[in-house]
């Protein structure tokens, strides 16, 4: 029988595990809790990190040469190593690399196309905004609910049991959380338990935006194929692309400890990416990651001065 639809603030025990409180989650709740390897808090720091030259200079794609020069001068005064220290060397070098390129109108048009490709790959455009919203009074909750849409078979159990929290998105026919904690906690717990493929998880709220962001770029198999495999009528292997793995790779690539490319901070020649599609996706991803790494290496006060949060 469905629990009452009145929303409550009781937290699953897994929420206490997420907060590090001295409470032991039940075996069932712990089974559905998942965190990001290497830590969830890194996703929060990434929210303001630029991933391409336009974002690095704080410009729109329709900017002019004068806009580029003005932004370059402003930022270089802030991040020049003589002012901000050695930690700013990579950011300063990237600004120097971006200036002549973005001053070329034809390059800006081609680079904008490469930028869209970056975003299609799920490597650019992350701003820390969640796809799902939070129910009134729940935005401070340390725990969130997330659906791995790549594994969902579209059974509708979760949206039937907790319809204010889950819904079926129409493009791929998968379940998705639309509003965090919009149903009573017991209903959400039942919805998770009823999932036949265990594709719904409790996650830390600090990692939710990144997980939802990388989910957009994850491939989704046809639901009919997923169901055939589940019934044992298909011998092919399931897709190994996971939003959790993709988020972990995203974080690791932007880590200050990540290996640096041998050929400079950009990692490849962005002019080539702007000309054609011959550049490998991995090189584009490294281009985005190297810009974010340079930003994250800056002292916090320098980041705030140069790229204030809106």
């Amino acid at each position: 029988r469905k629990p009452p639809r009145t929303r409550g603030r009781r937290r699953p025990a897994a929420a206490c595990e997420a907060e590090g409180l001295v409470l032991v989650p039940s075996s069932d709740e712990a089974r559905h809790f998942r965190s990001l390897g290497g830590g969830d808090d890194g996703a929060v720091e990434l929210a303001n990190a630029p991933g391409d030259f336009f974002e690095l200079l704080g410009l729109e794609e329709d900017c002019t040469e004068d806009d580029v020069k003005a932004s370059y001068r402003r930022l270089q005064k802030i991040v020049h190593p003589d002012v901000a220290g050695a930690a700013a060397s990579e950011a300063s070098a990237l600004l120097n690399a971006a200036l002549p390129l973005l001053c070329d109108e034809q390059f800006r048009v081609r680079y904008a196309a490469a930028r869209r490709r970056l975003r299609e790959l799920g490597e650019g455009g992350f701003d820390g905004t969640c796809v799902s919203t939070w129910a009134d009074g729940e935005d401070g909750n340390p725990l969130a609910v997330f659906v791995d849409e790549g594994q969902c078979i579209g059974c509708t159990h979760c949206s039937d049991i907790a319809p204010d929290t889950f819904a079926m998105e129409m493009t791929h026919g998968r379940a998705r959380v639309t509003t965090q904690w919009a149903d009573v906690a017991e209903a959400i717990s039942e919805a998770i338990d009823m999932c036949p493929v265990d594709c719904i998880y409790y996650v830390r709220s600090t990692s939710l935006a990144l997980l939802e962001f990388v989910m957009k770029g994850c491939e989704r198999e046809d639901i009919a194929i997923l169901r055939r495999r589940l019934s044992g009528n298909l011998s092919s292997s399931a897709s190994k692309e996971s939003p959790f793995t993709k988020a972990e790779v995203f974080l690791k690539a932007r880590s200050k400890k990540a290996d640096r490319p041998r050929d400079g901070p950009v990692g490849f020649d962005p002019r080539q990416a702007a000309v054609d599609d011959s550049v490998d996706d991995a090189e584009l991803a490294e281009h985005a990651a190297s810009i974010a790494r340079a930003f994250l290496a800056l002292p916090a006060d320098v980041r705030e001065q140069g790229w204030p949060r809106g």
Side-chain angles (χ1 to χ4, degrees):
R1 190 178 65 180
K2 293 182 182 179
R5 294 266 314 272
T6 302
R7 183 166 52 86
R9 293 188 62 83
R10 186 190 73 80
R11 297 290 174 263
C16 299
E17 195 270 348
E19 282 292 270
L21 301 180
V22 186
L23 283 176
V24 179
S26 69
S27 59
D28 181 63
E29 289 166 339
R31 182 168 63 91
H32 295 297
F33 177 76
R34 187 163 177 178
S35 61
L36 297 180
D40 298 77
D41 293 336
V44 176
E45 191 177 31
L46 274 176
N48 205 36
D52 60 67
F53 283 158
F54 286 118
E55 291 180 354
L56 178 66
L57 274 84
L59 299 171
E60 299 295 331
E61 292 179 4
D62 61 354
C63 62
T64 66
E65 180 179 350
D66 288 341
D67 294 332
V68 174
K69 291 180 177 178
S71 182
Y72 169 82
R73 287 192 293 266
R74 181 184 70 84
L75 290 171
Q76 195 63 271
K77 288 178 181 178
I78 297 171
V79 305
H80 194 281
D82 290 345
V83 176
S89 297
E90 195 168 352
S92 179
L94 280 167
L95 287 170
N96 286 333
L99 175 62
L101 296 176
L102 290 187
C103 280
D104 182 338
E105 183 177 2
Q106 291 185 347
F107 174 86
R108 291 198 300 272
V109 173
R110 296 193 299 266
Y111 188 72
R115 183 195 200 199
R116 287 189 286 273
R117 186 175 161 203
L118 266 172
R119 296 191 174 202
E120 289 172 0
L121 293 171
E123 294 292 345
F126 177 60
D127 62 2
T129 302
C130 293
V131 175
S132 56
T133 59
W134 290 82
D136 291 344
E138 297 293 334
D139 55 352
N141 195 323
L143 204 69
V145 183
F146 174 74
V147 179
D148 180 351
E149 297 175 28
Q151 300 301 315
C152 175
I153 60 172
C155 69
T156 76
H157 289 335
C158 59
S159 59
D160 289 340
I161 295 170
D164 292 335
T165 298
F166 299 93
M168 305 303 295
E169 57 88 21
M170 295 296 102
T171 303
H172 303 286
R174 314 299 176 99
R176 177 178 293 172
V177 175
T178 55
T179 307
Q180 296 288 335
W181 302 106
D183 291 276
V184 67
E186 288 83 353
I188 296 172
S189 180
E190 181 183 346
I192 295 174
D193 288 338
M194 288 294 291
C195 176
V197 291
D198 291 332
C199 69
I200 310 175
Y201 299 89
Y202 295 116
V203 298
R204 289 184 173 91
S205 59
T206 52
S207 64
L208 178 64
L210 180 58
L211 284 167
E212 292 182 334
F213 171 76
V214 299
M215 189 71 248
K216 298 175 187 178
C218 289
E219 294 184 9
R220 295 164 176 79
E221 288 185 294
D222 186 271
I223 285 181
I225 294 177
L226 288 173
R227 291 181 175 179
R228 284 182 61 192
R229 185 180 293 112
L230 185 64
S231 67
N233 293 326
L234 192 66
S235 59
S236 64
S237 300
S239 171
K240 295 181 179 180
E241 189 165 48
S242 159
F244 290 95
T245 300
K246 197 163 185 174
E248 289 164 1
V249 170
F250 191 93
L251 286 170
K252 183 178 180 181
R254 286 152 179 77
S255 169
K256 298 173 187 176
K257 297 179 182 179
D259 292 335
R260 298 298 192 270
R262 295 179 181 178
D263 53 348
V266 176
F268 79 107
D269 186 351
R271 289 169 294 189
Q272 185 64 31
V275 171
D276 55 42
D277 292 334
S278 65
V279 174
D280 186 83
D281 288 349
E283 291 180 299
L284 273 177
E286 170 55 31
H287 173 60
S290 65
I291 293 173
R293 280 199 304 268
F295 171 84
L296 294 172
L298 293 168
D301 61 327
V302 175
R303 295 201 303 262
E304 183 60 32
Q305 183 182 0
W307 295 264
R309 294 180 184 270

